[in-house]
Amino acid sequence: MTKQQLLQLAKRIVDGRRFAAEEAADKTMYRLRHIDKWRNLEHELRSAEVDLAMGNGDEHTQGKIAALQEEMSALLKALGVQPTDLVPQYSCKLCNDTGYIDGKMCRCLRAELRRLIIDGGNVICKEFTFENSTEKDKHNAAVYRQVEQIVRNGVQNVLLTGKVGTGKTYLLTASAQLAAQLEKSVLFVTAYSLNADLLAAHLEGVEAISTLLNSLVDVDLLLIDDLGTEKIYNNVTGNYLFTLLNERSVAHKQTFFSTNLTLQQLNERYDERVVSRLIDKNTTFVAQLTGKDKRTAAR
Ligand SMILES: [Zn+2]
């Protein structure tokens, strides 16, 4: 699934909440309007309110309105209806379950999008968890344990190197799912799709790129799979990668990478400030996964 499709799906979920909230309120109103007493009270209240608004009321109108309202709430009580049942109870009070505030994504929609990326994105296999791991290689198993601890501690970054099929994506996926279980916001992307998103936003303009970068800095754990498979675009790939790493570290957010490249190859591919951040031992746990390609070994 593309990010756009995931966003549409997330929007549908948020819309679904709004429809359900509105339907529940509508149902209650529908039920009440089939009760003669309620209907009469409502009618009287409306005309008293109209009188008042039009200046046709007398000194009794105000009192009448209050009395009618009191009678209506007594009737609600007798029927076992809460006053809150009459108005839609939206899950998100910020956007009333519309997903947007002034054209910007509300945090409820962003949360839904992240949840979908974890639950339903094609890069994530739900069965890839630390518990399910059958890693037999001693060195790799030790790396798994360390990374699990790092996810729990929520401090360090992780850079996983190693050949194709040594379990890097598995480990990133397990980390993503554990972090989500720990109620952290998580975003799992491939370097390829991240780079494409950055380029598109860059071409769209300053506002688009800053919105994208903000949302990328915002997530607690950002996992970037397969670094090195993306194209290098001048003024885009290296620049934004550096900005991202920098701002995320200032915000104390964790970033995990996997790459098929060796440290030497990383050095040749990215500019120095990016590489020095990627492999900084003070902030980053760098580990190489070893072994045969699991995908061919299993066959
Ligand atoms: Zn919202």
Side-chain angles (χ1 to χ4, degrees), residues 24-297:
D26 283 351
K27 251 190 190 157
T28 310
M29 285 312 295
Y30 182 82
R31 184 183 149 210
L32 289 172
R33 284 184 180 139
H34 277 75
I35 298 168
D36 289 340
K37 192 177 172 195
W38 176 270
R39 220 174 38 236
N40 292 336
L41 286 169
E42 206 181 22
H43 180 76
E44 276 187 71
L45 179 64
R46 291 286 164 270
S47 46
E49 280 170 345
V50 169
D51 282 347
L52 196 68
M54 306 288 281
N56 296 332
D58 53 28
E59 70 270 27
H60 302 302
T61 312
Q62 201 91 40
K64 193 179 167 190
I65 288 174
L68 284 166
Q69 283 170 335
E70 208 165 301
E71 214 177 325
M72 285 168 91
S73 65
L75 180 56
L76 285 182
K77 212 169 181 187
L79 293 167
V81 177
Q82 303 294 325
T84 50
D85 295 342
L86 302 181
V87 280
Q89 297 300 304
Y90 298 112
S91 312
C92 178
K93 312 288 180 206
L94 297 171
C95 70
N96 287 349
D97 296 337
T98 59
Y100 288 90
I101 304 167
D102 298 330
K104 291 213 170 90
M105 268 169 93
C106 179
R107 74 164 83 119
C108 70
L109 181 58
R110 284 214 303 262
E112 207 50 51
L113 185 58
R114 276 176 212 139
R115 199 186 58 73
L116 282 176
I117 287 164
I118 291 301
D119 283 356
N122 54 0
V123 284
I124 295 277
C125 301
K126 285 190 95 178
E127 65 273 21
F128 285 10
T129 63
F130 284 107
E131 296 81 42
N132 291 346
S133 166
T134 55
E135 183 57 69
K136 292 197 181 67
D137 182 281
K138 263 191 185 167
H139 165 80
N140 288 358
V143 171
Y144 272 51
R145 281 194 301 276
Q146 271 167 294
V147 171
E148 181 177 357
Q149 209 45 55
I150 290 168
V151 176
R152 291 186 187 280
N153 292 343
V155 182
Q156 272 172 296
N157 296 327
V158 170
L159 172 65
L160 298 171
T161 68
K163 294 198 186 102
V164 174
T166 48
K168 299 186 300 296
T169 299
Y170 187 109
L171 184 46
L172 284 193
T173 308
S175 301
Q177 299 204 90
L178 175 60
Q181 269 175 35
L182 297 170
E183 295 187 341
K184 293 178 189 179
S185 58
V186 180
L187 183 62
F188 189 116
V189 292
T190 62
Y192 184 88
S193 71
L194 174 66
N195 194 43
D197 287 347
L198 287 169
L199 178 66
H202 175 81
L203 295 175
E204 206 180 311
V206 180
E207 202 174 320
I209 193 72
S210 95
T211 303
L212 177 61
L213 285 172
N214 283 341
S215 67
L216 290 168
V217 172
D218 186 48
V219 285
D220 296 325
L221 177 59
L222 175 65
L223 306 104
I224 303 177
D225 199 16
D226 257 341
L227 187 71
T229 55
E230 77 286 9
K231 266 190 182 164
I232 299 277
Y233 299 116
N234 281 340
N235 304 322
V236 175
T237 309
N239 271 352
Y240 292 130
L241 199 54
F242 176 73
T243 306
L244 202 53
L245 284 169
N246 208 23
E247 290 192 9
R248 286 186 59 77
S249 99
V250 170
H252 302 289
K253 303 290 178 88
Q254 286 181 292
T255 313
F256 289 12
F257 286 94
S258 83
T259 183
N260 299 330
L261 303 180
T262 62
L263 296 186
Q264 177 62 35
Q265 287 168 323
L266 282 176
N267 240 328
E268 288 159 10
R269 194 161 201 272
Y270 299 97
D271 67 65
E272 202 192 314
R273 14 172 239 163
V274 171
V275 178
S276 65
R277 283 232 173 256
L278 280 174
I279 62 171
D280 181 355
K281 295 262 159 68
N282 294 317
T283 56
T284 307
F285 172 69
V286 181
Q288 185 181 7
L289 291 178
T290 56
K292 277 205 238 28
D293 187 338
K294 288 189 175 53
R295 288 171 293 186
T296 51

